[in-house]
Amino acid sequence: MPSRSDVYYFGAGPAALPQVVLERASASVLNHDNSGVGLIEQSHRSASSTQIVASACQHLETLLGVPKDGSYTTLWMQGGGTTQFSAVAYNLLGYWVQKSLDANNGDLEAVKAALANAKADYLVTGSWSKKAAEEAQRLLGDELVNVATNSKAATKKFGSIAPEETWNLTPKENNIFSYFCDNETVDGVEFPAFPASLEGTLVAADMSSNILSRRVDVSKYAIIFAGAQKNVGGAGVTLVVIRSDILKTQPTVDTLRKLGLPIPPIMCHYPTLTGASSLYNTLPIFEVFICREVMAGIIARGGLEAQEKVANEKAEELYSSLDQGGIYNVVPEKNVRSRMNICFRIEGGEDVEKAFLKGAEERGLTGLKGHRSVGGLRISNYNSIPQEAAAKLAGWIREFAASRK
């Protein structure tokens, strides 16, 4: 049986974590801070838990450069990114409704008239943004959702992002909000930068698989969310950074009923959860603790500037090996290749891909199988993957290609 030091795990999530974090977490499970009580056992409302959540928020805000003027609020929630598909739709629609009410002196009929032309714009560039758009359509109705671009429509498969000038965006005066997935974990597509055509709209972004891997201008976003289990921690907790005015500008339940609009479940209602400092219900404190320790490590290594440099260097080495191999077909178009999820196929079909995987596992390189929905192979190059792991895998990519010639 191999030891942990013999294996480099490239799984897409739950993903590898730094060994030093796991060692600290293991000790805390048995006896957290010499309290005689394990971290998993302690109350989520204890002073210790409150301190863990508060310091995790501080680390996240430091890394992302969240404005210190109170214009944004940080939240930790149970569950994964899929829950946020619903929460984003509920809360941003609510914000639009209340702003419209205020602009029309509380006239519900005027708001109903405005709703006739209002749309939430979704950029569908992969499997996860597709699911987000489908959830918005299920909750809000097709009449309030506009798929402004769909990468799969023309090519029948994901792997590209259409030029912005081709997007069918709702006029800004009728836009409820805009939504995109910054990095598509399944399909290996990443936005190179913030979409310029979304400037001036209320923007929500799913950063589940590239959060804390590069610098972000938080001021461009209304909501940023990310499931922790790829770059930040383990499964079961999600981070949310939300503009504070959205929390303060929400309609009453009675107003939503009168307008015939959906009422958010309490666990998807951001104002309720932030009002309780992320502790409205039993938050998985152990998972937040792991996130805090991972983020502390990133800060100690130089923050996002240093982390972005490492992420880019690893991705460049891996893509270079694939491009030069002669037998590999990288799935996404070159201009939107993800630095985090490197998806590819090998000439010769599944038997050849199985041979590649077998040889990789013999060398301690695991977790390389592609998502079940698309097959192929996928290298998840998350923050906890050390440069020596990427170098070893790049070497195997070159070695396998040479063996096929």
Side-chain angles (χ1 to χ4, degrees):
M1 181 180 294
S3 67
R4 184 175 180 86
S5 60
D6 295 327
V7 173
Y8 290 124
Y9 178 62
F10 294 89
L17 289 167
Q19 181 161 324
V20 64
V21 171
L22 294 177
E23 289 170 351
R24 289 177 192 150
S26 297
S28 284
V29 167
L30 292 174
N31 185 354
H32 181 64
D33 282 353
N34 295 315
S35 65
V37 177
L39 181 55
I40 294 175
E41 302 165 305
Q42 74 176 25
S43 168
H44 65 296
R45 300 195 189 282
S46 67
S48 174
S49 292
T50 300
Q51 191 276 330
I52 288 170
V53 173
S55 54
C57 288
Q58 289 170 1
H59 288 346
L60 179 60
E61 290 164 6
T62 296
L63 285 166
L64 288 180
V66 175
K68 298 182 182 299
D69 58 3
S71 56
Y72 283 83
T73 301
T74 304
L75 171 67
W76 296 90
M77 287 177 62
Q78 281 187 348
T82 302
T83 302
Q84 302 307 315
F85 299 165
S86 306
V88 164
Y90 283 129
N91 287 270
L92 291 186
L93 174 62
Y95 178 75
W96 182 92
V97 166
Q98 189 57 49
K99 290 280 286 185
S100 184
L101 270 174
D102 293 343
N104 289 283
N105 298 314
D107 185 346
L108 285 173
E109 293 305 315
V111 175
K112 286 181 181 179
L115 278 167
N117 296 312
K119 298 277 187 182
D121 287 338
Y122 277 74
L123 311 182
V124 175
T125 56
S127 301
W128 289 113
S129 52
K130 178 175 180 288
K131 289 184 178 181
E134 288 171 348
E135 178 66 353
Q137 289 166 331
R138 189 181 72 87
L139 294 175
L140 309 183
D142 291 342
E143 63 275 13
L144 289 180
V145 177
N146 170 47
V147 175
T149 184
N150 185 343
S151 298
K152 199 173 184 178
T155 62
K156 307 303 179 186
K157 63 179 181 179
F158 290 121
S160 63
I161 300 175
E164 291 190 37
E165 59 268 21
T166 69
W167 297 354
N168 181 32
L169 294 170
T170 303
K172 289 183 178 178
E173 63 271 19
N174 297 324
N175 174 269
I176 301 173
F177 64 89
S178 302
Y179 180 103
F180 72 100
C181 180
D182 205 30
N183 185 83
E184 292 282 2
T185 318
V186 173
D187 308 286
V189 171
E190 184 175 29
F191 277 84
F194 182 87
S197 58
L198 300 188
E199 295 274 5
T201 67
L202 209 63
V203 178
D206 176 358
M207 296 188 183
S208 290
S209 51
N210 67 349
I211 192 76
L212 303 186
S213 71
R214 65 181 179 185
R215 289 161 290 185
V216 173
D217 183 352
V218 173
S219 68
K220 292 180 180 292
Y221 300 87
I223 296 173
I224 292 171
F225 73 84
Q229 70 275 11
K230 302 177 188 301
N231 273 313
V232 193
V237 68
T238 301
L239 62 91
V240 183
V241 178
I242 182 169
R243 234 171 56 189
S244 299
D245 64 317
I246 294 168
L247 302 171
K248 300 170 185 175
T249 312
Q250 291 290 324
T252 64
V253 168
D254 185 54
T255 294
L256 290 171
R257 284 202 180 100
K258 288 177 179 176
L259 291 170
L261 295 173
I263 297 165
I266 202 72
M267 290 307 299
C268 286
H269 190 239
Y270 291 142
T272 297
L273 303 181
T274 55
S277 300
S278 299
L279 297 171
Y280 179 79
N281 67 323
T282 309
L283 189 70
I285 298 298
F286 179 65
E287 298 299 341
V288 179
F289 171 84
I290 291 176
C291 292
R292 184 189 73 173
E293 297 302 300
V294 169
M295 291 188 290
I298 296 173
I299 291 170
R301 293 190 298 272
L304 285 199
E305 184 172 356
Q307 188 62 56
E308 182 174 9
K309 181 175 182 293
V310 171
N312 291 345
E313 288 174 352
K314 290 187 297 175
E316 286 167 9
E317 181 170 13
L318 290 164
Y319 277 120
S320 176
S321 297
L322 291 168
D323 289 338
Q324 294 172 19
I327 63 169
Y328 304 107
N329 297 310
V330 177
V331 174
E333 293 183 359
K334 199 164 188 176
N335 66 330
V336 293
R337 286 179 175 180
S338 168
R339 299 161 305 121
M340 297 288 102
N341 304 104
I342 299 168
C343 299
F344 63 100
R345 305 303 299 254
I346 305 178
E347 292 177 2
E350 290 185 8
D351 288 343
V352 177
E353 291 176 349
K354 287 178 181 177
F356 176 91
L357 290 171
K358 183 175 183 294
E361 289 176 4
E362 289 170 353
R363 290 160 176 77
L365 304 166
T366 65
L368 294 167
K369 193 173 182 180
H371 191 273
R372 64 186 181 278
S373 65
V374 295
L377 301 111
R378 173 174 55 175
I379 304 165
S380 291
N381 178 38
Y382 297 140
N383 288 346
S384 293
I385 298 295
Q387 286 185 287
E388 58 265 28
K392 185 175 181 179
L393 178 52
W396 169 237
I397 290 169
R398 292 190 295 269
E399 180 185 341
F400 186 80
S403 73
R404 300 289 300 173
K405 293 179 181 177

